[in-house]
Amino acid sequence: LTLLGDALISLGITTHADVFGRRKMLIAGALLAIVTTVVFITESNFWILTIAAMIGVITPSGNEIGPFMAIELSSLSQVTADASRTHLMAWYTLAGCLSSAVGALVCGFTLYFCQTADPALAELTSYRLVLIMYLGTQILLSALFINLSEKIEVPPAVEAKVGDMSNPVSVFLGLH
């Protein structure tokens, strides 16, 4: 169920980014991730956690598979010159992989240190500490999204085409 929920949320955010605004949808996704993380930190009820996992945005593996990547890539390709696009995408991918690796390393060391330094510290508490660190990264991500340039938005010619779409399936799927 959580995979289905994540797929539907990702589909909704990414396919409507050009209609409502890429920056707005990135911010909305980041805020949804913040709310989801807060629920995971504060709740212990299985059903509340399941619902939060279904409608929220959280990336447990460190790999970017959620709604952000498609919008980020389309925005980057729009604001980058054709000649340097491949070079920039390589750096984007490298930065993402390094961030995932550093995040995994920090989380692993944090869990190891918490659980070996103080055996009385509950395992759940140490995982919640990792989620608090994740929350910090989501707040930082939100701040970065808020400060994005308007240049990432759809050009007016494409926006007019999106506004003129009469096929509801095309509108729903974000096809233009």
Side-chain angles (χ1 to χ4, degrees):
L1 289 176
T2 59
L3 181 60
L4 177 64
D6 188 46
L8 291 175
I9 292 292
S10 295
L11 182 67
I13 288 175
T14 57
T15 58
H16 291 82
D18 289 348
V19 176
F20 297 114
R22 292 174 179 171
R23 194 168 66 102
K24 287 179 185 174
M25 295 309 274
L26 286 169
I27 294 167
L31 292 176
L32 191 55
I34 288 171
V35 170
T36 304
T37 306
V38 168
V39 170
F40 270 74
I41 292 168
T42 59
E43 280 297 326
S44 296
N45 182 291
F46 172 79
W47 294 110
I48 293 174
L49 292 171
T50 302
I51 291 168
M54 285 173 44
I55 62 173
V57 176
I58 195 161
T59 308
S61 68
N63 296 323
E64 179 53 69
I65 55 173
F68 303 114
M69 186 174 190
I71 300 172
E72 290 171 358
L73 289 174
S74 62
S75 299
L76 279 173
S77 66
Q78 180 174 312
V79 298
T80 306
D82 292 346
S84 59
R85 189 168 294 137
T86 303
H87 183 77
L88 178 73
M89 292 300 177
W91 280 107
Y92 172 86
T93 303
L94 179 64
C97 290
L98 286 176
S99 297
S100 293
V102 169
L105 187 65
V106 168
C107 288
F109 278 137
T110 301
L111 291 172
Y112 176 78
F113 177 75
C114 288
Q115 294 174 9
T116 57
D118 185 3
L121 184 68
E123 191 174 304
L124 181 61
T125 303
S126 60
Y127 280 102
R128 284 189 169 147
L129 177 60
V130 168
L131 283 170
I132 290 169
M133 294 184 324
Y134 181 76
L135 178 63
T137 64
Q138 293 305 312
I139 292 169
L140 175 63
L141 189 63
S142 297
L144 293 172
F145 287 157
I146 288 169
N147 290 301
L148 282 174
S149 167
E150 290 294 323
K151 292 178 182 179
I152 69 161
E153 300 299 344
V154 176
V158 176
E159 190 173 335
K161 184 179 175 185
V162 171
D164 290 341
M165 291 176 20
S166 58
N167 182 347
V169 174
S170 295
V171 173
F172 175 74
L173 294 176
L175 302 173
H176 51 79

